[in-house]
Amino acid sequence: EIVLTQSPDTLSLSPGERATLSCRASQRVASTYLAWYQQKSGQAPRLLISGASTRATGIPDRFSGSGSGTDFSLSISRVEPEDFAVYFCQQYGTSPSITFGQGTRLEIK
Amino acid sequence: EVQLLESGGGLVQRGGSLRLSCAASGINFKDYGMSWVRQTPGKGLEWVAGISGSGGSTYYADSVKGRFTISRDNSKNTVSLQMNSLRAEDTAVYFCAKFEAASTLGPFDTWGQGTLVTVSS
């Protein structure tokens, strides 16, 4: 099983600042098999990025994903008030090889 | 608009059984693989089970293999999770989630709102 470790656990920023979230895998992940999700309190996760860098439908271009191999990142160019949430990375392939990171909480500074 | 609506959660005793259902709308259901994912405050998100669009292929996490069964009825646009021999550690919010394609390969592009399962010890 591929273990995903996200850092930091909590990121405190002010609106307008740039956010960079990290996701490190215990084994190489094919870049087409890495996704990022946003989850707000009491809601289901929402797909932001798939294939490591492809934004999902309707996702603003301030969100971007990058990385390959074992190191991936999600960046938010300028954090908006609605972006404060928990972010998860996920690696996927043919089931049962689906695992999630533990999440990074983006909070208002 | 694609919508997934879960039902069937509740309180059950350890060792008991529960059946979750997820009704899909807004899609040609048989064209998409489906999955169940659970979430707890302590363990975060955990993939539980997946099923292909045809229903011919099913997959399970080791933690539930032999106890849970995923199935689908493409005539009713529903996917179900039969949970037997429930344990305290199965307590979680269970989400129904849709794959991007008929296989179980890919991210989850749509999620339901979740249903809470509580296993009392």
Side-chain angles (χ1 to χ4, degrees), chain A residues 37 39 44-45 90 92-93 95-96, chain B residues 39 47 59 104-106 108 111-112:
Chain A
Y37 298 85
Q39 187 178 31
Q90 175 210 19
Y92 53 87
S95 304
Chain B
Q39 185 172 33
W47 173 78
Y59 304 90
T104 54
L105 174 70
F108 302 119
W111 298 63

Side-chain angles (χ1 to χ4, degrees), chain B residues 13-35:
Chain B
Q13 286 191 330
R14 183 177 55 186
S17 298
L18 208 58
R19 186 177 181 87
L20 305 182
S21 291
C22 171
S25 60
I27 56 171
N28 195 358
F29 187 64
K30 65 178 176 58
D31 288 344
Y32 299 97
M34 299 295 294
S35 192

Side-chain angles (χ1 to χ4, degrees), chain A:
Chain A
E1 174 182 294
I2 297 178
V3 176
L4 300 179
T5 302
Q6 293 185 239
S7 61
D9 288 333
T10 302
L11 183 59
S12 300
L13 294 173
S14 300
E17 291 190 291
R18 181 181 182 84
T20 301
L21 288 66
S22 174
C23 176
R24 177 163 290 178
S26 60
Q27 305 171 42
R28 180 183 176 279
V29 175
S31 62
T32 53
Y33 297 155
L34 195 287
W36 290 92
Y37 298 85
Q38 176 194 67
Q39 187 178 31
K40 297 181 180 179
S41 180
Q43 297 183 15
R46 177 176 71 146
L47 178 65
L48 298 176
I49 301 283
S50 62
S53 61
T54 302
R55 278 189 301 277
T57 302
I59 301 304
D61 61 7
R62 65 179 180 273
F63 290 91
S64 63
S66 63
S68 63
T70 60
D71 290 294
F72 299 87
S73 63
L74 173 71
S75 295
I76 309 172
S77 58
R78 293 182 185 83
V79 176
E80 297 285 341
E82 62 267 28
D83 298 337
F84 292 99
V86 180
Y87 293 83
F88 295 94
C89 59
Q90 175 210 19
Q91 66 83 27
Y92 53 87
T94 302
S95 304
S97 301
I98 296 173
T99 54
F100 294 89
Q102 84 280 11
T104 290
R105 178 177 302 278
L106 177 59
E107 66 175 25
I108 301 175
K109 186 174 182 180

